[in-house]
Amino acid sequence: MFTLLGVAVGAAYHVVSAFAQFLAPPLGGLAAAAAIVVCTLAVRLLLLPLSYYAMRGQASQARLAPQVQALRRRHAAHPERLQRELAALYRREGTGVFAGFLPLLLQLPFLSVVYALFRSGTIAGRPNSLLGHHLLGASLGSHWLSGPGPLSAQGAVFLGLFALLAVAAWLAARVARKITAQPGPAQPAPPGGAVGWLARALPYATLVIAAIMPLAAGLYLLTTTLWAAAERALLAPRVRRHVRPQSRSA
């Protein structure tokens, strides 16, 4: 396994294994699961500056949504003119169409590593000892619809994970709604455009992903979604102070 992914999986294996050994005395059989949580928190901490700028990008997108809609109506018959006007607007405001999704894109490689880490029987030519670890009796490498099935004790662990993920997704979406909503004087808040909708809908995609990935990856998703909800709640006031009031000109 000499690919870049193989190198990353090998490095992740050593890091998670080291944390699991360190946490084994106090946590016993939960050490490997706790190690995944710790590593996830470390990743999110490293991405914190990018997450902050992404939140500012989402808030800016929501603030600019009325101007974007006005430009689309005004130049509907002239697509090239519309693209120039949109580019000029985003450039003037210091943002872009995908400004709010950089942390999400950067997390995809980490999720891929976790997936491969608990799908490979051997790592660097040696047996993958992490596959022998469990969470409440369910192997960290197990899948919801594999093995005993969804109605077994293993399935119950996954259902508990799905329930926690649903709560975490709801919290993350609720905070995202507050960030992207830009109420004007004496009028309800606009929906925030496509970016605002995506920011609120994406947390729920973790439920679908967790249903088809190993339990360890679901644990990663739960941790990162809870972090995202807390991160957004704590940073939201600072984001609002840095986003300029909406211009009245379209």
Side-chain angles (χ1 to χ4, degrees):
M1 195 184 298
F2 293 101
T3 64
L4 183 59
L5 178 61
V7 173
V9 171
Y13 176 77
H14 290 295
V15 171
V16 174
S17 297
F19 272 115
Q21 291 178 2
F22 176 77
L23 296 171
L27 297 179
L30 296 176
I36 294 172
V37 172
V38 171
C39 291
T40 304
L41 295 177
V43 169
R44 290 307 306 244
L45 190 60
L46 290 174
L47 294 178
L48 183 59
L50 293 176
S51 297
Y52 170 67
Y53 286 109
M55 289 174 61
R56 287 179 57 177
Q58 290 174 3
S60 296
Q61 285 285 325
R63 176 176 57 82
L64 295 176
Q67 297 185 50
V68 171
Q69 293 171 3
L71 287 174
R72 292 187 184 281
R73 290 193 298 267
R74 184 181 306 168
H75 304 295
H78 304 88
E80 294 183 358
R81 173 71 183 278
L82 173 61
Q83 293 303 317
R84 291 198 301 270
E85 293 291 339
L86 289 175
L89 173 64
Y90 291 138
R91 184 168 57 250
R92 187 166 60 249
E93 298 293 335
T95 186
V97 178
F98 301 105
F101 298 100
L102 183 57
L104 175 65
L105 297 177
L106 289 177
Q107 283 192 71
L108 292 179
F110 292 103
L111 182 59
S112 299
V113 168
V114 175
Y115 175 78
L117 187 59
F118 286 89
R119 285 284 294 173
S120 305
T122 58
I123 302 291
R126 298 181 179 180
N128 185 355
S129 62
L130 291 177
L131 295 179
H133 290 272
H134 295 74
L135 175 63
L136 302 178
S139 171
L140 291 174
S142 63
H143 290 69
W144 181 42
L145 298 178
S146 67
L151 300 181
S152 63
Q154 172 183 299
V157 174
F158 273 93
L159 290 178
L161 173 68
F162 297 156
L164 293 174
L165 268 174
V167 173
W170 178 80
L171 290 172
R174 183 180 182 186
V175 177
R177 187 180 300 112
K178 291 182 178 180
I179 293 174
T180 56
Q182 298 291 327
Q187 61 181 349
V195 171
W197 182 86
L198 283 173
R200 296 189 293 272
L202 279 175
Y204 293 100
T206 57
L207 288 165
V208 179
I209 298 174
I212 60 177
M213 298 194 80
L215 179 59
L219 189 58
Y220 171 91
L221 290 170
L222 174 61
T223 306
T224 194
T225 305
L226 286 173
W227 174 284
E231 180 182 73
R232 288 173 178 274
L234 292 174
L235 294 180
R238 184 179 180 87
V239 169
R240 294 192 188 99
R241 287 196 299 268
H242 280 82
V243 176
R244 290 176 294 173
Q246 179 178 325
S247 172
R248 292 184 180 276
S249 61

